[in-house]
Amino acid sequence: MKLQYKLLHSLKKFYSSQYWLAKCVIYLLIFVAPLYAQNPADLFKQANTAYENENFEESIPLYEELLENNFVSVELYYNLGNAYFKSGKIGKTVLNYNRALKLSPRNEDAKFNLEFAQLRIEENPTQVENVFIQFLKQIYYLFNLNELPIITAIFYWLLAISLFIYILFKIDFLKIPNLILSIVFALSLCWCISRIYVNSKIVEAIVIEPQTQAKNGPGDEYAVGFTVPEGKKVLVLGIKDNWIAIGLPKEGLKGWIKSTQLEKI
């Protein structure tokens, strides 16, 4: 009995010590560790300081660390694109300018820098997009996916209020405004639904390696179909293992490249 009692007492002490040790570890993780974690604003300031001092190779990993910690902003993508451009990495440059414009489609600085960076990409002059098509695309992507639902909701409530006043007070001159609001609301709703559908179904990516060889199939054993320049925007058509099927609509080309050779916008 004495032996059993000693054994139970020893086990009780052991588990009690383990319990307090676990509590201490949890306490350190919750209360102490955050004190040593760098504030995102401070890290962003540090990255900007490195960039301003032309230490581009130092600023890039700091910006990337912020992205890994889900600290996302237009300014972050824009600055990171600038840093990559100064470092001569055109693929990452185009990628981050596109990401900045996805958040803020009307950002003129990002637009200008993206157009300037794209001059470095090897393109066939005969494949330049029609000016009218470019204009339509600019209108279509004028607002981001956070702004469009708000705009649609505003027109909805304006129409609802106007119809309510018209039905309640029988004000004839509201007929034309109601018709106009109905058309504008319908167009904005279709625009919003279309953008949501396109965003969910059409995945775009940027090639980040120079002169990437697109294969005719998902494997090194397949022949090379064509070469894609660094910084080229492509459509993601499918995935198989570590290979991604890409499409170049203007050129009418399809092929497979490794997943490490591109990044989604």
Side-chain angles (χ1 to χ4, degrees), residues 1 8 59 66 112 138-139 152 169 179 198 250 256 262:
M1 288 293 293
L8 288 171
S59 68
L66 286 166
F112 178 83
Q138 287 178 354
I139 298 298
T152 304
F169 299 102
L179 178 62
V198 167
K250 287 192 294 181
W256 293 81
L262 84 171

Side-chain angles (χ1 to χ4, degrees), residues 71-104:
F71 184 83
V72 174
S73 72
V74 176
E75 188 180 1
L76 174 55
Y77 283 132
Y78 178 74
N79 289 356
L80 184 55
N82 290 340
Y84 273 122
F85 182 80
K86 295 290 186 178
S87 300
K89 298 174 182 176
I90 196 66
K92 291 278 194 174
T93 299
V94 173
L95 173 69
N96 284 285
Y97 286 152
N98 271 283
R99 286 174 173 173
L101 286 171
K102 193 171 183 179
L103 293 179
S104 179

Side-chain angles (χ1 to χ4, degrees), residues 46-203:
Q46 184 182 341
N48 288 340
T49 302
Y51 174 80
E52 290 166 4
N53 293 331
E54 299 187 358
N55 297 324
F56 306 118
E57 296 298 332
E58 180 184 335
S59 68
I60 288 172
L62 296 175
Y63 287 132
E64 292 287 5
E65 184 180 342
L66 286 166
L67 292 176
E68 289 173 5
N69 292 320
N70 298 316
F71 184 83
V72 174
S73 72
V74 176
E75 188 180 1
L76 174 55
Y77 283 132
Y78 178 74
N79 289 356
L80 184 55
N82 290 340
Y84 273 122
F85 182 80
K86 295 290 186 178
S87 300
K89 298 174 182 176
I90 196 66
K92 291 278 194 174
T93 299
V94 173
L95 173 69
N96 284 285
Y97 286 152
N98 271 283
R99 286 174 173 173
L101 286 171
K102 193 171 183 179
L103 293 179
S104 179
R106 300 179 299 281
N107 189 306
E108 293 299 326
D109 290 333
K111 279 184 183 178
F112 178 83
N113 286 8
L114 176 60
E115 290 172 2
F116 184 77
Q118 285 176 328
L119 295 175
R120 300 270 299 272
I121 303 172
E122 297 176 18
E123 294 280 2
N124 188 335
T126 61
Q127 295 171 345
V128 175
E129 197 169 45
N130 183 278
V131 175
F132 181 67
I133 298 298
Q134 286 182 343
F135 173 74
L136 290 179
K137 281 188 174 181
Q138 287 178 354
I139 298 298
Y140 185 71
Y141 292 102
L142 186 62
F143 302 103
N144 64 34
L145 287 176
N146 293 323
E147 296 168 334
L148 271 177
I150 295 173
I151 293 170
T152 304
I154 289 172
F155 284 121
Y156 169 79
W157 284 110
L158 287 174
L159 177 61
I161 293 169
S162 182
L163 286 173
F164 176 77
I165 294 172
Y166 172 75
I167 293 170
L168 189 64
F169 299 102
K170 306 296 182 182
I171 303 174
D172 289 338
F173 74 80
L174 286 178
K175 286 183 179 179
I176 294 177
N178 283 342
L179 178 62
I180 295 172
L181 282 172
S182 299
I183 294 172
V184 173
F185 168 68
L187 289 173
S188 65
L189 181 62
C190 292
W191 188 8
C192 184
I193 293 172
S194 170
R195 283 289 306 278
I196 292 171
Y197 176 81
V198 167
N199 188 67
S200 63
K201 295 295 182 182
I202 299 178
V203 180

